[in-house]
Amino acid sequence: MLAASLAGTLLLAVLDLAGAGRELRRAFEPAALAPRMAREAAALGPLAGVDAGRQAQCETLMLGLLLRMADPELRMWADYDGMAGASRDGRLALRYRRADGSGCQYPARAGARLEAAMGAAAPGRPAGRLPDARPPGRWEDLTRPWTLAVAIHPPQEPGATLTLGMDARSPLSMLGRLTRGELLDLLCYLLIISAMSALTVAVLLVGRIRRTGRAAETWAAGDLALRINDHGGDELSRLSQRFDRMADALGEVIEVKQALAAAQERNRLARDLHDTAKQRAFALGLQLSVLRHLTGGQGEAQEMVQTALQLTSRLQQDLADIIQRFGATTIVEAGLAGTLRDSLELMLSGSGIDWSLRLTPQDEARLCARPDVAGQLLLLTTEAAANVLRHSGASLLEVDFACAGDRACWSVRDNGRGFDPDRGGGTGMGLANMQLRARALPAGELEIRSGPGKGVLVCVTFRMEPGANPDASQEEIPEGKQDEQMGCRT
């Protein structure tokens, strides 16, 4: 990372030099430079009185005029070229020539290339290797030097000639002329800037990379709930967002595979029970029937055999119920309403009990959004229906769902003979199972209401999770009216 930052900083420095070179060329284009030279010459006045024989006086006058003509571009060119004494090196010169050929020049001697260009220049005809307009970023901006000489007639002396010339180095050639000390200073500067850049980038990236690594380790451990949640706009952020989407897809695939595996296991258990335990119970019933016939009229033995036959019949019914539940359609396959209809149809078929289910598609979608809740309601309903089938003598079974505020009620009602709760008529394994399933729901509570001849109402109230029903009204409902709106009244 440090090497990349160093290379980047060096490249930026070179490109900055190229940009400075382009700015210098634009500033010294002949079309802009000639009018400025004429303006400064007019402001200085006639140069006819300059004594060409006194070189010091001439050079001082030319130096002052040069600075006026070149300012502020001279400083920009000096920074670009890297040497403030460019005129002393013969790469920046100003020459004054009268019509008779006399005059003076500063510096007294320029470089050969610049002398040739200044000798060839004439008013209205620049000379030298002229700078041209180029698109930014061209390689020539770094490697191509250029020479320019522009001549004018001073306004007060039409016969005289004033020539300004410069010989500009390329940025890369300037780097080759640096001293060892200047190279060390440049290297230290680049190292410091690169180290600071690398440290800044590392601080910004390391935390995000570590967060991504922790998420990957968590996913490898089997927990796909964690997300990276990097919402930046760079490549690392986009990669993290792809990882989050991958985790979502993997979670959905795993859920489907688990549901299919559970369904396959239930079907296997149902087949095994049907082929083994149920068949043996049937064989046991046949053996007991034969035994009852062999015992004849012996009273005590007959009673024991009859009791054993009744227990065997109950065992066969229990096994049939279990096999039916194992082989029933699952919520994942048919939804809560479809699974309930299949279960009730199979359980109550031929019993003479009419049944109804009131569950809107919207409510079903809300419940199926929580498969654990829907599964508990399904098992609780089949348990209640089995109790109605065995004990109530009812002719009608009603299953209903209602919701008010954040409380929901799932009720199972029958019109059977009922029982007296004060006399313990509602105890048993079935009731215990329903209480356990009710407590497994969010803030779940089970209430059973009944009376002799009044049927039984099984009502499970629980909390609907926030966000499960985004369209539901948030209006507060008085506590005393919630049961009435949810249908949990006898």
Side-chain angles (χ1 to χ4, degrees):
M1 185 177 292
L2 179 61
S5 299
L6 178 61
T9 305
L10 182 61
L11 179 60
L12 288 176
V14 173
L15 291 178
D16 180 68
L17 288 175
R22 287 194 299 272
E23 292 180 3
L24 181 64
R25 290 203 305 269
R26 285 194 295 268
F28 281 90
E29 288 179 355
L33 185 58
R36 187 166 65 251
M37 292 173 60
R39 184 172 60 253
E40 296 299 336
L44 182 64
L47 301 176
V50 175
D51 188 354
R54 301 179 63 182
Q55 181 66 21
Q57 179 187 10
C58 178
E59 288 185 358
T60 300
L61 182 61
M62 290 296 100
L63 175 60
L65 186 58
L66 175 64
L67 293 175
R68 290 172 63 102
M69 289 180 178
D71 186 66
E73 287 78 9
L74 174 63
R75 289 193 298 271
M76 178 177 62
W77 179 72
D79 290 340
Y80 153 74
D81 197 45
M83 299 184 67
S87 59
R88 290 193 297 272
D89 292 343
R91 290 181 286 107
L92 177 65
L94 180 65
R95 174 186 297 171
Y96 170 66
R97 284 285 185 270
R98 298 186 182 93
D100 58 3
S102 63
C104 64
Q105 174 179 314
Y106 179 81
R109 186 69 182 171
R113 187 166 53 188
L114 185 57
E115 284 284 355
M118 294 178 69
R125 191 185 65 197
R129 189 176 182 181
L130 303 180
D132 51 1
R134 296 174 180 270
R138 291 285 297 271
W139 174 248
E140 289 82 354
D141 290 331
L142 299 176
T143 60
R144 182 176 182 268
W146 52 272
T147 305
L148 171 68
V150 178
I152 65 168
H153 292 300
Q156 293 88 346
E157 300 176 78
T161 304
L162 194 63
T163 306
L164 175 63
M166 65 177 61
D167 185 11
R169 296 171 178 171
S170 68
L172 291 183
S173 66
M174 182 202 73
L175 293 177
R177 291 182 174 87
L178 293 178
T179 65
R180 178 177 299 179
E182 291 172 336
L183 284 173
L184 289 176
D185 291 342
L186 178 61
L187 181 60
C188 290
Y189 168 78
L190 292 176
L191 285 174
I192 292 174
I193 295 299
S194 300
M196 293 178 62
S197 301
L199 181 61
T200 302
V201 172
V203 170
L204 294 176
L205 290 181
V206 166
R208 298 166 63 190
I209 294 174
R210 286 178 177 173
R211 187 166 65 248
T212 304
R214 286 194 299 269
E217 292 175 356
T218 303
W219 295 340
D223 182 6
L224 296 176
L226 182 64
R227 294 294 178 269
I228 302 173
N229 292 327
D230 191 338
H231 301 293
D234 55 9
E235 290 297 328
L236 179 59
S237 173
R238 286 190 283 271
L239 180 61
S240 299
Q241 292 169 12
R242 293 190 186 101
F243 283 154
D244 284 344
R245 290 194 293 270
M246 180 191 69
D248 292 337
L250 285 176
E252 294 175 359
V253 170
I254 290 174
E255 288 181 1
V256 172
K257 287 187 175 180
Q258 288 175 341
L260 291 175
Q264 292 172 356
E265 182 64 15
R266 285 198 311 273
N267 291 332
R268 186 190 66 81
L269 290 173
R271 289 193 302 269
D272 291 347
L273 286 172
H274 181 273
D275 295 340
T276 57
K278 187 177 180 183
Q279 299 304 323
R280 290 173 184 173
F282 178 74
L284 177 60
L286 290 179
Q287 294 290 331
L288 289 173
S289 297
V290 173
L291 181 60
R292 182 179 60 180
H293 176 72
L294 293 177
T295 56
Q298 299 178 9
E300 184 176 354
Q302 184 75 13
E303 290 179 3
M304 293 180 65
V305 172
Q306 185 63 33
T307 301
L309 278 172
Q310 292 175 356
L311 291 175
T312 303
S313 177
R314 180 64 60 84
L315 175 60
Q316 289 178 322
Q317 182 61 45
D318 290 342
L319 287 173
D321 291 343
I322 293 173
I323 292 172
Q324 173 190 318
R325 293 177 189 176
F326 275 140
T329 307
T330 64
I331 295 175
V332 175
E333 298 166 341
L336 179 57
T339 306
L340 263 176
R341 291 189 181 97
D342 291 344
S343 299
L344 293 176
E345 184 67 33
L346 289 171
M347 184 180 297
L348 303 179
S349 178
S351 65
I353 300 176
D354 293 329
W355 59 272
S356 65
L357 171 63
R358 190 173 72 172
L359 179 64
T360 65
Q362 294 79 8
D363 290 337
E364 181 183 11
R366 292 164 56 194
L367 291 172
C368 288
R370 289 290 306 273
D372 54 336
V373 172
Q376 294 294 344
L377 294 177
L378 172 63
L379 295 174
L380 190 145
T381 303
T382 54
E383 186 69 46
N387 289 337
V388 171
L389 179 63
R390 294 171 182 170
H391 307 299
S392 72
S395 61
L396 179 63
L397 176 69
E398 297 176 331
V399 182
D400 186 23
F401 174 78
C403 184
D406 63 346
R407 297 293 293 176
C409 176
W410 183 273
S411 63
V412 181
R413 184 196 305 265
D414 69 76
N415 64 348
R417 63 177 63 94
F419 62 90
D420 186 355
D422 296 334
R423 300 181 63 178
T427 61
M429 181 62 72
L431 177 59
N433 288 340
M434 287 191 289
Q435 288 174 338
L436 288 175
R437 299 194 190 285
R439 285 197 291 269
L441 298 173
E445 297 178 0
L446 175 68
E447 183 178 4
I448 298 179
R449 302 174 186 174
S450 183
K454 297 183 178 180
V456 178
L457 171 65
V458 178
C459 183
V460 181
T461 58
F462 57 95
R463 184 181 70 250
M464 292 294 289
E465 293 294 333
N469 181 20
D471 299 325
S473 172
Q474 300 299 319
E475 179 182 358
E476 290 291 333
I477 300 175
E479 184 176 355
K481 293 187 177 181
Q482 287 186 358
D483 284 350
E484 181 178 353
Q485 290 196 20
M486 292 190 292
C488 294
R489 294 176 62 93
T490 56

